[in-house]
Amino acid sequence: LRRHSEEAWHVLGASAAGGVALLAVSLLSKSNESFWVRLLMLDFGARVGAQNAPWFGFGLGGWREVVPRMQAAMNFGPTGEWFLEAHNEPMQWFVEAGLLGSLVAAAWLIRHRAMFRHPVWGGSVCALGVSSLGFFPLHVVSTGLLGVVVMGLATASPDPQPSYSSQ
């Protein structure tokens, strides 16, 4: 158990160092517009969700239906395009499921936090989590289905012998 705890800290430390490195590259890069636009979109999405549907959100798929219209109504278009996805899964979930849905998701992640340390699937779950902060992998069919399967495998009970009832 202690070995797993130490490994988890190593993974967390490496992930944090990688995140800081990516942030530094984005900030120092001459073409960091995408980074800043995503920050503006996070702020806009948080305000739209918090001001219009804070408790229950707009419903699954609501981002695509509501946020582009709000962008047009508020004349918000830093790149001249409508954002059909949040480019951040936690923010999109907040806007679509509200504060209560976000609390349910957080409780589920806490309850199943061991999936991040799974000896086989943990790395894939961590990669999915990291990529969801700057992209929308759960809203792309191929990566969403793969992500659900990987999380299912990482949270499955280790039962090597199936039990059959004799009838």
Side-chain angles (χ1 to χ4, degrees):
L1 182 64
R2 182 178 175 159
R3 183 175 65 92
H4 290 297
S5 178
E6 289 175 10
E7 290 172 3
W9 281 108
H10 290 170
V11 169
L12 182 62
S15 298
V20 168
L22 286 173
L23 179 62
V25 167
S26 293
L27 292 174
L28 297 174
S29 169
K30 291 183 180 180
S31 61
N32 61 6
E33 179 184 4
S34 176
F35 174 78
W36 293 110
V37 168
R38 289 177 189 201
L39 286 182
L40 289 171
M41 198 62 228
L42 286 175
D43 178 62
F44 183 80
R47 285 187 287 120
V48 166
Q51 291 172 1
N52 297 290
W55 296 108
F56 299 105
F58 293 111
L60 298 182
W63 178 286
R64 183 177 283 261
E65 297 297 319
V66 174
V67 172
R69 281 189 280 153
M70 296 294 278
Q71 279 185 265
M74 299 172 82
N75 198 25
F76 177 79
T79 62
E81 64 182 311
W82 306 126
F83 292 96
L84 299 178
E85 306 292 346
H87 287 77
N88 183 290
E89 293 285 1
M91 178 56 66
Q92 187 153 340
W93 182 258
F94 167 71
V95 170
E96 293 181 352
L99 185 59
L100 294 177
S102 297
L103 290 173
V104 169
W108 187 87
L109 286 170
I110 291 168
R111 170 71 175 91
H112 296 285
R113 66 188 176 275
M115 71 179 165
F116 295 100
R117 297 186 315 266
H118 191 279
V120 176
W121 302 107
S124 297
V125 173
C126 289
L128 179 65
V130 169
S131 69
S132 74
L133 298 177
F135 186 57
F136 42 93
L138 297 177
H139 287 81
V140 176
V141 174
S142 58
T143 55
L145 289 174
L146 180 60
V148 169
V149 169
V150 166
M151 287 189 294
L153 290 168
T155 58
S157 298
D159 187 10
Q161 298 292 326
S163 60
Y164 299 101
S165 60
S166 58
Q167 292 186 21

